[in-house]
């Protein structure tokens, strides 16, 4: 039959049960801790870009998008309406000054030019005819004046003789009066003729000037036509790269239409765009930084287009080193235009996390883990971002991409 256990035996069994239960609980806690540790995200510090908070100066800048463009592009337009009959160069060719690029049909333009040459000769002949006509008329009037002066001198002599005869009693007073009247009429007629001659000289001079001016104006137009005709023989005005040419033989081209583009691909500039809300923060002469990968090129804002298009304004950056080997036409860049200086502010390194002033959630280093922290950030430039609040000098924060951990508040690092 069963024997009743003693109190000592019952206590011993209870201790064994407590030990078993305690061991199970401890083992469970250890397993849970190990699972939590294994499931907790862990990063290597070497894979992170970590910036220390310090105090210093920030040369505030505004960020803009940019595109590398040739330092100059010259568009060659057709000076006349014509059609393409030959193409001598293709896109990408290097051309020297004076090299022919393409040929236009100039038959109609040359015919019109020859007609203008005939008109020039006609105007020249009309000018010479005017000279001859005026000289002939003035010569005739001058001869008449000489005759009138001789006639006046004869009548003056007759008047003196008649007065002399009258003083001797051989003449009459009526004859004297008649001679005086004839003399005075001739003198008035001579004065009128002399005035007509003077007026005719002035008129001839004006007419000659008008004809000469008409001829000079026509010759200027003729020279312009000749220049247009020469320009229609499409040639390169300088040494450059032909980046575009209309190579459709037989195609009609309108006056002023583009037929070729020349570019200097040894020197470059950057064409930037920025929202028009920042238009008051850039100015001609502002210092600019252009980032191409890890390279940073310095430059100056040389031109701003004040007209807003689709909410953006455009500007041009003249680079200090415009022949840098990384520059390629059409290459996209980031442009930072400096516009102010802030002294003695907290700052951290600028990176992809920053997209303007405001509140951010950044991971701060705390021993062997990262803790999410709310941080208020302010102005920036291409190197630093201003820390308004949420961090202290000496703190370390992750500035690399942490998008994969956006829902985590804590991340382990090793």
């Amino acid at each position: 039959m069963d024997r009743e256990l003693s109190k000592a035996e019952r206590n011993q069994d209870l201790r064994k049960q407590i030990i078993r239960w305690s061991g199970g609980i401890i083992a469970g806690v250890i397993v849970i801790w190990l699972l939590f540790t294994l499931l907790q995200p862990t990063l290597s510090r070497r894979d992170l870009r970590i910036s220390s908070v310090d105090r210093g100066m920030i040369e505030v800048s505004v960020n803009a998008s940019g595109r590398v463009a040739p330092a100059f592009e010259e568009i060659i337009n057709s000076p006349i309406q014509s059609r393409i009959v030959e193409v001598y160069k293709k896109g990408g060719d290097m051309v020297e000054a004076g090299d022919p690029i393409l040929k236009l049909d100039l038959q109609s333009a040359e015919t019109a030019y020859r007609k203008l040459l005939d008109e020039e000769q006609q105007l020249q002949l009309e000018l010479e005819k005017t000279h001859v006509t005026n000289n002939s008329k003035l010569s005739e009037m001058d001869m008449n004046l000489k005759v009138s002066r001789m006639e006046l001198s004869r009548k003056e002599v007759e008047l003196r003789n008649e007065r002399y005869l009258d003083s001797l009693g051989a003449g009459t007073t009526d004859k004297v009066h008649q001679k005086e009247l004839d003399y005075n009429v001739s003198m008035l007629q001579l004065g009128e003729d002399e005035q007509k001659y003077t007026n005719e000289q002035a008129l001839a001079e004006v007419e000659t000037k008008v004809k000469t001016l008409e001829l000079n104006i026509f010759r200027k137009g003729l020279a312009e036509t000749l220049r247009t005709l020469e320009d229609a023989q499409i040639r390169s005005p300088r040494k450059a790269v032909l980046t575009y040419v209309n190579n459709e033989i037989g195609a009609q081209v309108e006056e002023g239409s583009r037929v070729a583009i020349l570019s200097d691909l040894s020197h470059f500039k950057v064409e930037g765009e920025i929202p028009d809300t920042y238009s008051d923060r850039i100015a001609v002469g502002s210092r600019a930084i252009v980032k191409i990968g890890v390279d940073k090129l310095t430059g100056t804002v040389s031109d701003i287009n004040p007209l807003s298009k689709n909410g953006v304004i455009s500007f041009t950056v003249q680079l200090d080193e415009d022949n840098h080997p990384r520059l390629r036409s059409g290459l996209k860049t980031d442009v930072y235009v400096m516009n102010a200086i802030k002294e003695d502010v907290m700052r951290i390194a600028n990176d992809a996390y920053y997209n303007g002033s405001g509140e951010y959630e950044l991971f701060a280093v705390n021993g062997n883990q990262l803790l999410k922290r709310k941080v208020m950030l302010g102005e920036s430039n291409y190197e630093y971002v201003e820390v308004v609040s949420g961090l202290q000098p000496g703190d370390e924060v992750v500035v690399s991409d942490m998008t994969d951990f956006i829902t985590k508040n804590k991340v382990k690092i090793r």
Side-chain angles (χ1 to χ4, degrees), residues 326-344:
R326 289 292 304 276
L327 294 171
R328 294 289 184 275
S329 181
L331 184 66
K332 301 294 185 181
T333 66
D334 290 323
V335 182
Y336 299 88
V337 181
M338 309 306 172
N339 70 321
I341 294 178
K342 284 193 170 184
E343 301 281 0
D344 193 30

Side-chain angles (χ1 to χ4, degrees), residues 59 268-270 283-291 296-303 315-322 327 334-338 382:
E59 191 173 7
F268 298 89
K269 61 184 178 182
V270 174
V284 173
S286 297
R287 195 169 73 88
I289 302 294
V290 176
K291 287 186 67 176
K296 300 180 180 68
L297 306 181
T298 59
T300 304
V301 176
S302 59
D303 179 65
F315 61 94
T316 303
V317 175
Q318 185 69 42
L319 297 171
D320 296 333
E321 188 180 359
D322 61 2
L327 294 171
D334 290 323
V335 182
Y336 299 88
V337 181
M338 309 306 172
Y382 69 99

Side-chain angles (χ1 to χ4, degrees), residues 159 163 175-185:
L159 176 60
R163 285 174 175 169
K175 286 185 178 181
V176 173
H177 289 164
Q178 183 62 44
K179 294 298 181 181
E180 288 178 346
L181 180 61
D182 290 343
Y183 175 77
N184 290 334
V185 170

Side-chain angles (χ1 to χ4, degrees), residues 33 59 68 78 103 155-156 295:
W33 180 81
E59 191 173 7
V68 177
S78 174
K103 181 179 180 181
K155 290 183 178 182
E156 184 181 9
D295 293 320

Side-chain angles (χ1 to χ4, degrees), residues 183-244:
Y183 175 77
N184 290 334
V185 170
S186 296
M187 188 168 60
L188 291 173
Q189 186 65 47
L190 177 61
E192 182 181 358
D193 291 343
E194 287 176 339
Q195 186 61 48
K196 286 182 179 180
Y197 181 78
T198 302
N199 293 342
E200 191 64 33
Q201 278 184 316
L203 183 62
E205 185 178 352
V206 170
E207 187 177 6
T208 301
K209 287 181 178 179
V210 169
K211 293 289 186 181
T212 303
L213 182 61
E214 288 177 354
L215 180 60
N216 290 337
I217 292 174
F218 186 85
R219 282 173 173 169
K220 289 179 181 178
L222 184 64
E224 182 67 19
T225 302
L226 178 60
R227 187 188 66 80
T228 300
L229 191 61
E230 291 173 348
D231 288 345
Q233 302 172 15
I234 308 298
R235 297 177 180 273
S236 173
R238 58 172 53 83
K239 180 179 179 180
V241 175
L242 186 66
T243 52
Y244 166 80

Side-chain angles (χ1 to χ4, degrees), residues 31 42 54 93 103 105 140 142 144 165 168 172 179 201 293 317 322 327 339 411:
V31 170
T42 304
D54 65 357
D93 285 352
K103 181 179 180 181
D105 183 2
E140 183 180 353
D142 183 57
N144 291 335
L165 291 174
L168 296 176
T172 63
K179 294 298 181 181
Q201 278 184 316
V317 175
D322 61 2
L327 294 171
N339 70 321
V411 178

Side-chain angles (χ1 to χ4, degrees), residues 287-399:
R287 195 169 73 88
I289 302 294
V290 176
K291 287 186 67 176
I292 303 177
V294 297
D295 293 320
K296 300 180 180 68
L297 306 181
T298 59
T300 304
V301 176
S302 59
D303 179 65
I304 299 175
N305 185 348
L307 298 179
S308 176
K309 184 178 181 180
N310 297 326
V312 299
I313 59 174
S314 58
F315 61 94
T316 303
V317 175
Q318 185 69 42
L319 297 171
D320 296 333
E321 188 180 359
D322 61 2
N323 58 349
H324 191 279
R326 289 292 304 276
L327 294 171
R328 294 289 184 275
S329 181
L331 184 66
K332 301 294 185 181
T333 66
D334 290 323
V335 182
Y336 299 88
V337 181
M338 309 306 172
N339 70 321
I341 294 178
K342 284 193 170 184
E343 301 281 0
D344 193 30
V345 296
M346 289 191 297
R347 61 187 187 179
I348 56 175
N350 195 347
D351 216 306
Y353 69 92
Y354 181 76
N355 56 10
S357 301
E359 188 176 72
Y360 289 78
E361 289 185 335
L362 301 180
F363 284 93
V365 178
N366 184 11
N368 63 348
Q369 61 184 354
L370 304 175
L371 299 179
K372 186 179 287 185
R373 188 181 297 182
K374 289 186 177 181
V375 178
M376 183 64 70
L377 301 180
E379 304 282 4
S380 70
N381 64 14
Y382 69 99
E383 288 182 306
Y384 298 107
V385 176
E386 176 190 11
V387 177
V388 178
S389 62
L391 296 172
Q392 295 298 323
D395 289 347
E396 292 183 320
V397 291
V398 178
V399 295

